[in-house]
Amino acid sequence: EHDCFMSCFPKDQLMWMVQKLNTSLFTANKKPTTAGELLKWFGVLILITRFEYGDRASLWSPETDSRYIPPPMLGRTGMTRPRFDELFQYMEWSEQPEERPEGMSRGQYRWMKVDDFVSRFNNHRVTHFEPSHLICVDESISRWYGLGGTWINCGLPFYVAIDRKPEDGCEIQNSCCAKTGIMLRLKIVKSPAEEENK
């Protein structure tokens, strides 16, 4: 599973995240992390998506509200809840300067939080995966509702409401190898104006 994840996830992205995390953790007087711990964190994050819950802390609890479903008890993964939350708090995916560069729009600046990650993902696919002759081009919807409109200057911007989709969210246009189901390239739809232009 580790090898499968590493073949899909860009190694330069992983190492960049470890380095960035360690800088932030050191500043906050917290224990540094490693690539192995970060991979475990990803594993727990993916595992969390398999459960319905109200409070994330309950996923580590030995108690359950159901007589029929045992508690997830994510502490058995080897990652404590405080450590998971710590890494979650200081996690960064891309380089974004403290101050918005002059001449750059607020939207562009905010999307910098993921731009490097998307570029590294796309570059990784180009150099490490050879697709079949069957390519499917479509879009995916991430259930990201953002922090509001363009008037809020923090976090990732929010865009998209698509009438034909059952739920709103952030639209990601992608191409995929139809034989393996592996996504080859991602493009985030960042604004209505950009979508109109392209």
Side-chain angles (χ1 to χ4, degrees), residues 20 23 44 56 61 64 66 74 82 95 117 136 153-154 165 194:
K20 196 74 172 171
T23 302
V44 173
R56 192 170 65 212
S61 172
T64 181
S66 171
L74 294 186
E95 192 66 54
F117 172 68
C136 176
N153 193 25
C154 65
K165 300 289 182 185
E194 182 180 300

Side-chain angles (χ1 to χ4, degrees), residues 28 34 60 138 148 182:
T34 63
W60 274 264
D138 203 349
I182 292 176

Side-chain angles (χ1 to χ4, degrees), residues 110-193:
R110 288 166 64 193
W111 279 114
M112 286 179 80
K113 286 182 173 288
V114 294
D115 283 341
D116 292 342
F117 172 68
V118 172
S119 294
R120 288 185 191 117
F121 175 90
N122 289 338
N123 292 339
H124 182 76
R125 283 294 194 270
V126 168
T127 55
H128 291 88
F129 181 70
E130 193 169 315
S132 72
H133 65 290
L134 295 172
I135 305 295
C136 176
V137 178
D138 203 349
E139 74 263 339
S140 303
I141 296 293
S142 169
R143 290 180 64 182
W144 165 251
Y145 302 121
L147 298 171
T150 54
W151 60 89
I152 294 176
N153 193 25
C154 65
L156 287 174
F158 166 66
Y159 171 67
V160 148
I162 301 174
D163 293 338
R164 66 186 183 278
K165 300 289 182 185
E167 282 207 60
D168 293 343
C170 180
E171 181 179 346
I172 302 170
Q173 296 174 345
N174 47 53
S175 55
C176 180
C177 170
K179 291 256 184 182
T180 62
I182 292 176
M183 286 192 181
L184 308 175
R185 192 161 189 85
L186 307 176
K187 177 189 168 291
I188 297 174
V189 178
K190 296 179 179 179
S191 71

Side-chain angles (χ1 to χ4, degrees), residues 40-60:
K40 185 181 285 185
W41 183 87
F42 276 118
V44 173
L45 185 68
I46 292 166
L47 187 58
I48 284 173
T49 66
R50 308 304 302 154
F51 299 98
E52 285 188 27
Y53 61 94
D55 178 20
R56 192 170 65 212
S58 67
L59 297 170
W60 274 264

